[in-house]
Amino acid sequence: MLFRSSIIFIFSTDVVLPKDNILKLIKDYLGDISTLQARFSQTDYMGEIMTGELFLKKPGKIRFSYDPPHYLQIVSKQQAVLIFDPKNSGNGPLTYPLSYTPLGFLIKNDLSSLIGENNESYELNDLIFLNIRNPQYQLSIEFNKNPLSIVGWEFKNKMGETIRIKLKDIRKNTYISNEIFKTEKDYEGFKK
């Protein structure tokens, strides 16, 4: 009897979910996140790898703090993303509209943009992928299937450049101070 139930358990983990169920699970999972903190590894289109810490607080707050020797800071502020790069000191941060970046899926409470005609989802082994097509970029978000959790994403811009982000040591719905998202210290770094 024990042998028989083990076989059922082994095979039941590979159940393929209908697309609508996958999208609902993803939407519920992302909607349940109020804060998220994680270590990240970023690989750019030239193969350079940078690491750092990601902080997210809904609605609308995100910060990528890169480890030395890069010291790069990417911070959302209102409807923009500010990129503070010490190599560009004196010039101020690069600024992009939030809608031109893939970060909206993480920091908005309205996730309806994830589900549309141009989006598709599929499963591969123990992973679920959600592909989002936007006029500004293509985004593929990767999730572990069981239990459902975000693994990372791949972003491709209009010029065909791809950036991959992998997350680890994820802490979900823990306290994150609003001080982390203030940019005064980032601006001070440009004055030096």
Side-chain angles (χ1 to χ4, degrees):
M1 191 68 154
L2 179 62
F3 177 75
R4 187 175 188 198
S5 63
S6 297
I7 291 173
I8 291 169
F9 177 75
I10 290 169
F11 290 107
S12 67
T13 60
D14 291 330
V15 172
V16 176
L17 298 170
K19 180 181 176 183
D20 289 344
N21 289 357
I22 292 173
L23 294 175
K24 182 178 180 341
L25 286 172
I26 291 171
K27 186 176 176 183
D28 290 347
Y29 169 78
L30 292 174
D32 184 52
I33 295 173
S34 59
T35 67
L36 186 133
Q37 188 173 348
R39 293 290 303 161
F40 72 87
S41 173
Q42 173 183 307
T43 307
D44 70 12
Y45 62 96
M46 296 177 61
E48 182 180 10
I49 298 172
M50 297 188 290
T51 60
E53 189 84 15
L54 164 66
F55 302 92
L56 172 139
K57 189 172 188 177
K58 289 183 182 177
K61 295 180 177 84
I62 196 164
R63 176 182 284 271
F64 290 86
S65 291
Y66 290 77
D67 294 333
H70 302 287
Y71 300 103
L72 189 68
Q73 301 293 320
I74 299 176
V75 187
S76 64
K77 188 164 180 108
Q78 297 171 349
Q79 294 298 313
V81 173
L82 308 176
I83 301 175
F84 295 91
D85 186 349
K87 295 175 189 170
N88 296 334
S89 66
N91 297 327
L94 296 171
T95 304
Y96 296 96
L98 190 57
S99 61
Y100 280 57
T101 74
L103 301 176
F105 85 92
L106 278 173
I107 62 176
K108 292 181 181 178
N109 275 333
D110 176 17
L111 302 174
S112 58
S113 64
L114 289 178
I115 300 174
E117 292 178 16
N118 294 329
N119 303 332
E120 63 183 15
S121 62
Y122 63 93
E123 298 176 58
L124 181 63
N125 301 323
D126 292 333
L127 299 172
I128 297 173
F129 295 87
L130 177 63
N131 294 332
I132 300 170
R133 287 182 180 77
N134 177 297
Q136 303 302 324
Y137 57 81
Q138 292 179 16
L139 178 65
S140 179
I141 311 168
E142 184 178 342
F143 299 88
N144 280 324
K145 190 190 313 187
N146 193 12
L148 187 66
S149 61
I150 191 165
V151 173
W153 57 91
E154 183 176 290
F155 164 74
K156 186 175 184 180
N157 65 20
K158 289 168 72 171
M159 296 177 288
E161 300 166 337
T162 301
I163 295 174
R164 291 176 184 85
I165 301 283
K166 289 288 188 183
L167 303 179
K168 66 179 186 176
D169 302 329
I170 297 172
R171 294 165 304 282
K172 184 177 139 187
N173 298 335
T174 59
Y175 175 76
I176 297 178
S177 170
N178 285 330
E179 295 296 314
I180 289 172
F181 304 100
K182 292 188 176 179
T183 56
E184 288 81 5
K185 289 182 183 177
D186 300 309
Y187 279 106
E188 286 174 15
F190 279 106
K191 296 176 187 174
K192 294 177 182 180

